[in-house]
């Protein structure tokens, strides 16, 4: 979009924005990424609970579910942060968001499918929408 500006010399100039890409709305990516991140945090907390139940039932001191749930929560928080910064550099952020979505699925498998899918879709939208 351009606007007309009158210069000091009396001539009319057309002002064109430098970065046309920053004017595009990234609302869909942000909504999907934040929803996926929230569901990922819920899946990670659920994995914490399952790890606690596993420790109590099997009478062990630690469980791998706790560590994987913690990884899922961290990946989800990073995904939310990256989605909020998506207007800085959409290509790099898109790839990093996709990696966070894959990590969600890898860390908590069945619990992370919904969150991972939403985050991956947000990353793909960031890559393909110009």
């Amino acid at each position: 979009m351009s606007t007309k500006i009158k210069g000091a010399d009396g001539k009319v100039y057309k002002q064109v924005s430098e970065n046309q890409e920053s004017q595009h709305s990234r609302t869909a990516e942000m909504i999907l990424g934040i929803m996926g991140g929230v569901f990922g945090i819920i899946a990670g907390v659920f994995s914490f609970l399952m790890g606690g139940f596993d420790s109590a039932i099997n009478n062990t001191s630690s469980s791998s579910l706790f560590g994987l749930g913690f990884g899922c929560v961290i990946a989800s928080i990073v995904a939310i942060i990256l989605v909020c910064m998506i207007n800085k550099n959409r290509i790099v952020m898109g790839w990093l968001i996709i990696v966070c979505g894959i990590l969600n699925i890898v860390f908590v498998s069945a619990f992370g499918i919904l969150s991972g899918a939403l985050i991956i879709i947000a990353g793909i939208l960031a890559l393909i929408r110009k």
Side-chain angles (χ1 to χ4, degrees):
M1 212 180 241
S2 62
T3 57
K4 294 185 179 181
I5 297 176
K6 189 170 186 179
D9 57 358
K11 293 182 181 178
V12 177
Y13 296 98
K14 206 183 331 181
Q15 181 183 12
V16 180
S17 65
E18 292 178 20
N19 192 357
Q20 297 273 337
E21 187 174 313
S22 67
Q23 293 179 354
H24 294 291
S25 175
R26 299 278 174 203
T27 307
E29 291 93 332
M30 291 182 76
I31 290 173
L32 286 172
I34 291 172
M35 283 177 46
V38 169
F39 285 136
I41 291 171
I42 292 170
V45 169
F46 190 70
S47 181
F48 287 158
L49 294 174
M50 289 294 122
F53 290 142
D54 181 45
S55 295
I57 291 172
N58 293 329
N59 205 13
T60 58
S61 61
S62 66
S63 177
S64 64
L65 284 176
F66 184 80
L68 293 174
F70 184 71
C72 181
V73 169
I74 296 299
S76 298
I77 291 171
V78 169
I80 290 172
I81 292 170
L82 291 174
V83 166
C84 291
M85 298 182 346
I86 203 163
N87 285 329
K88 300 287 182 197
N89 187 350
R90 70 175 179 85
I91 302 295
V92 174
M93 296 300 170
W95 283 111
L96 291 175
I97 291 168
I98 290 172
V99 168
C100 287
I102 292 170
L103 286 176
N104 266 345
I105 295 172
V106 168
F107 284 148
V108 290
S109 64
F111 300 139
I113 290 175
L114 175 65
S115 64
L118 289 173
I119 293 171
I120 289 171
I121 291 170
I124 291 171
L125 282 176
L127 291 176
I128 62 173
R129 286 182 60 198
K130 293 186 184 213

